[in-house]
Amino acid sequence: MPSFTTTAAVIKMNSDGSVVVNIALTEIGQGTATVVTQMAADRLRFPVSRVKVAVERDTDKDPFDWQTVASKGLLLTGNAVIAACDDLLRQAYSDAAQVLRAQTADLDHDAERIFVKQRPEESVTLPPCRSGTSTPTATESVAR
C-alpha cells in the first residue's frame, strides 16, 4: 500500500443522543457499514441502535478517503472512526468537566451521561453537553 493512503471519519452527535458516522469508504457488499456501526457503538458505549453510518456519497460533504481497494478499507476507516469517537468523547468530557467542576481524568460515561467517577450521582447528559451548556451556575445541566 502506498505511504500516502489516508482516510477520515466525522461523527456528529444529535440532540436525541444518537450519532451519525460519516465516512467516504464505498460499501460494495463487504459489510463495512455494519462493522463501522459496531465499532463506533463499542467505542462510545452506545447501543448499536443509536449509531447510524451515512452510506450515501457526496464528495462535497464526505470526509476524504484515498480509495476503496484491497483490504485497507476497514483497517484505515475503522481506525479513523475510533479516532473520531475518541475526539467526540474528549470534547464531551471537556465540556462536562467545566459543568461538573471536575478534572476530565475524574470522569467516566455510559450510554446516557458523563459522570464523576467518585460521585456518579453528579452527571450531565451527553447530547446537551455537546450542544452547549451554561457554566456559571450549571444548576439545570447537572443531575444530582
Side-chain angles (χ1 to χ4, degrees):
M1 195 164 19
S3 60
F4 56 82
T5 60
T6 188
T7 190
V10 176
I11 297 183
K12 175 187 161 203
M13 180 170 278
N14 300 313
S15 60
D16 66 355
S18 65
V19 293
V20 176
V21 180
N22 191 352
I23 57 173
L25 183 67
T26 302
E27 172 68 65
I28 53 175
Q30 73 274 41
T32 302
T34 300
V35 175
V36 166
T37 299
Q38 293 168 338
M39 291 174 77
D42 183 64
R43 193 63 164 205
L44 296 171
R45 300 185 203 153
F46 285 6
V48 171
S49 61
R50 285 185 32 203
V51 179
K52 177 185 183 279
V53 174
V55 292
E56 58 281 347
R57 296 292 151 246
D58 183 343
T59 55
D60 286 335
K61 296 186 290 187
D62 287 343
F64 179 79
D65 195 333
W66 175 63
Q67 291 180 3
T68 301
V69 295
S71 58
K72 74 89 190 160
L74 193 55
L75 175 68
L76 293 179
T77 299
N79 282 318
V81 168
I82 289 169
C85 288
D86 290 347
D87 187 56
L88 175 76
L89 291 173
R90 181 191 56 74
Q91 292 178 51
Y93 274 40
S94 178
D95 290 350
Q98 291 179 32
V99 174
L100 297 169
R101 296 187 175 107
Q103 298 295 316
T104 56
D106 296 331
L107 301 177
D108 199 359
H109 75 282
D110 57 27
E112 304 297 326
R113 64 198 180 101
I114 297 175
F115 54 90
V116 180
K117 291 176 190 174
Q118 301 302 317
R119 299 182 313 273
E121 67 280 358
E122 294 183 23
S123 65
V124 292
T125 56
L126 280 164
C129 184
R130 281 309 304 147
S131 298
T133 325
S134 176
T135 57
T137 59
T139 53
E140 294 180 1
S141 300
V142 179
R144 295 188 190 257

